[in-house]
Amino acid sequence: MELENGASFSIEALMENPGFRAWVLKEDQREGEYWKAYIAEHPERREVIEQARSLLLDMNEHFTTDDMNAAAVEQKLQAQLERLGSPEKLGRNSRFELRWTSGYLRLAAASILLLLVAGIAWWWIQRPSDLYATNFGEWETVTLPDGSRVNMNANTTLRLDDHWNDGAIRRVWLSGEAYFQVTKQSDTHGLFQVITDDLTVEVLGTAFNVHSRGEHTEVYLEEGSVNLELADGTQGAMQLEPGEMLTYSKALSTIVESGPASKELTTSWKDGLLKFDKTPMREVLQEVEDIYGITFRLEDESQYDRPITSQGVPMEQLEVTLPILARALGLTVELENDIYVIK
């Protein structure tokens, strides 16, 4: 469901939007196309969207029924906020007012209370720097507080655990694709975890790539060692050796590929190139759509499974990428009504 014209844009408004909830909770794949296009048109709103998405996922994880008393929750929320600090320190009014316009917001308030008690709300209030995000067609390299370096592909978000420095495990949540060079903590031997919707990657100090979009998650290990655990708990911990990749299919709820893989093909995006070796055209087009937030339509649908090989399609600008991609496909690409039609 689209946002109404003139409607206020806020975390609350997003969480009230049925289409937004359907997209975040993966209840309707069609909503994904709308929100992908919306973020591309309004990149300045991406951070608010990601905050609403993270809160909604946290809420959905902990609550399944609406049995909270509004007045009691509001009173407890106010008490927790006062303990966190003065209004000046929090950068907002001391009075925290809740609008009980729907049962879903009651759940949101209950979730916020849980996050406050657990300490996660400090991230929402005080630590916006713990959320890293790239827009469509944008790449970034960030250094985490422990010195680990992360190369972020376009259309990617990375969120740090609020308790990053409090314990032995360093946790980050990833949506999109990123290449990690993790610094080993020799003093604490602290583990480093990358958490996606499908699985958790656990390492000590190593270099690896995680691609988590759509219906599958891929993990490629360049050096060191990693342990993998599926989110659904259907399989015990698995290990990868350097040069191996594991692919998990959400649609099939199973591991569809595991074994040796090409580092050059898997991590070439860090160098600004997309490389393919007998890759189905469907996957090639999906990769470019994810990076730039655009939509392709192939006139001859029988071509979707055609294998594509390319030694390098530059990613810096869409205007450069498309002509070279067209040559690699042996076809032409034309823009028609905001859709790139391949003929």
Side-chain angles (χ1 to χ4, degrees):
M1 179 178 293
E2 299 182 6
L3 292 176
E4 296 181 3
N5 292 331
S8 62
F9 187 85
S10 63
I11 291 177
E12 182 183 73
L14 288 171
M15 295 181 68
E16 284 278 74
N17 185 278
F20 181 79
R21 297 199 300 269
W23 168 54
V24 172
L25 302 179
K26 303 185 186 304
E27 296 171 347
D28 188 344
Q29 293 185 355
R30 293 172 299 179
E31 289 293 340
E33 294 299 321
Y34 167 76
W35 287 101
K36 182 168 68 174
Y38 186 88
I39 294 172
E41 294 176 5
H42 305 280
E44 74 283 357
R45 293 182 169 180
R46 182 186 180 94
E47 184 173 349
V48 175
I49 291 173
E50 288 299 334
Q51 289 177 343
R53 178 179 179 274
S54 295
L55 180 57
L56 186 56
L57 289 173
D58 284 332
M59 180 185 65
N60 191 64
E61 179 180 354
H62 295 289
F63 293 92
T64 57
T65 59
D66 180 8
D67 57 358
M68 300 297 294
N69 177 275
V73 170
E74 183 172 354
Q75 183 178 7
K76 292 180 180 180
L77 279 169
Q78 183 63 33
Q80 288 293 336
L81 284 173
E82 289 174 355
R83 291 191 187 99
L84 285 174
S86 64
E88 293 76 14
K89 182 178 180 180
L90 295 177
R92 58 188 66 193
N93 294 331
S94 61
R95 180 61 183 165
F96 187 87
E97 297 182 356
L98 296 177
R99 289 171 49 204
W100 300 95
T101 57
S102 74
Y104 217 84
L105 281 184
R106 293 189 183 94
L107 280 180
S111 179
I112 295 172
L113 176 60
L114 175 67
L115 300 181
L116 282 166
V117 174
I120 300 176
W122 197 252
W123 172 73
W124 291 99
I125 299 172
Q126 291 283 82
R127 299 172 62 184
S129 62
D130 286 353
L131 175 68
Y132 304 92
T134 56
N135 291 320
F136 293 113
E138 177 184 62
W139 296 264
E140 186 175 354
T141 299
V142 299
T143 301
L144 303 184
D146 67 341
S148 298
R149 289 173 58 84
V150 183
N151 295 79
M152 298 176 62
N153 204 343
N155 185 25
T156 294
T157 58
L158 185 73
R159 177 167 66 89
L160 273 61
D161 190 347
D162 183 67
H163 300 288
W164 179 271
N165 296 315
D166 295 346
I169 299 180
R170 297 161 287 168
R171 294 186 177 92
V172 299
W173 282 262
L174 174 72
S175 174
E177 182 171 20
Y179 177 86
F180 295 83
Q181 293 175 289
V182 177
T183 300
K184 187 173 183 178
Q185 301 285 55
S186 57
D187 53 343
T188 63
H189 302 288
L191 295 175
F192 188 104
Q193 290 183 341
V194 179
I195 303 171
T196 74
D197 289 344
D198 300 328
L199 52 80
T200 296
V201 184
E202 184 176 89
V203 305
L204 288 173
T206 187
F208 59 100
N209 192 83
V210 181
H211 180 286
S212 181
R213 301 189 197 273
E215 294 298 315
H216 73 280
T217 294
E218 297 176 349
V219 180
Y220 171 77
L221 177 62
E222 181 175 337
E223 62 182 45
S225 63
V226 300
N227 292 326
L228 303 175
E229 292 189 8
L230 300 183
D232 60 13
T234 56
Q235 190 165 339
M238 299 163 285
Q239 289 188 331
L240 287 182
E241 298 296 328
E244 290 184 337
M245 183 168 72
L246 178 144
T247 302
Y248 175 83
S249 169
K250 183 179 300 182
L252 301 176
S253 298
T254 188
I255 297 170
V256 295
E257 186 177 0
S258 179
S262 168
K263 171 188 173 182
E264 185 178 10
L265 294 176
T266 305
T267 64
S268 62
W269 66 266
K270 296 194 298 95
D271 302 317
L273 294 173
L274 289 176
K275 296 185 178 183
F276 306 103
D277 182 20
K278 300 178 182 178
T279 304
M281 188 184 298
R282 183 188 311 275
E283 296 181 18
V284 172
L285 298 180
Q286 184 64 60
E287 183 73 15
V288 179
E289 286 184 342
D290 289 339
I291 289 174
Y292 289 105
I294 61 176
T295 300
F296 286 111
R297 179 169 63 82
L298 191 58
E299 280 196 338
D300 182 0
E301 295 187 358
S302 66
Q303 295 279 317
Y304 273 123
D305 294 324
R306 182 181 135 206
I308 302 298
T309 297
S310 173
Q311 293 304 308
V313 177
M315 300 164 50
E316 291 183 3
Q317 294 181 337
L318 182 60
E319 294 77 8
V320 176
T321 300
L322 286 178
I324 297 177
L325 177 64
R327 287 200 295 270
L329 300 178
L331 301 169
T332 61
V333 180
E334 298 179 6
L335 182 61
E336 299 179 4
N337 298 321
D338 296 326
I339 295 177
Y340 289 90
V341 181
I342 301 177
K343 304 178 179 181

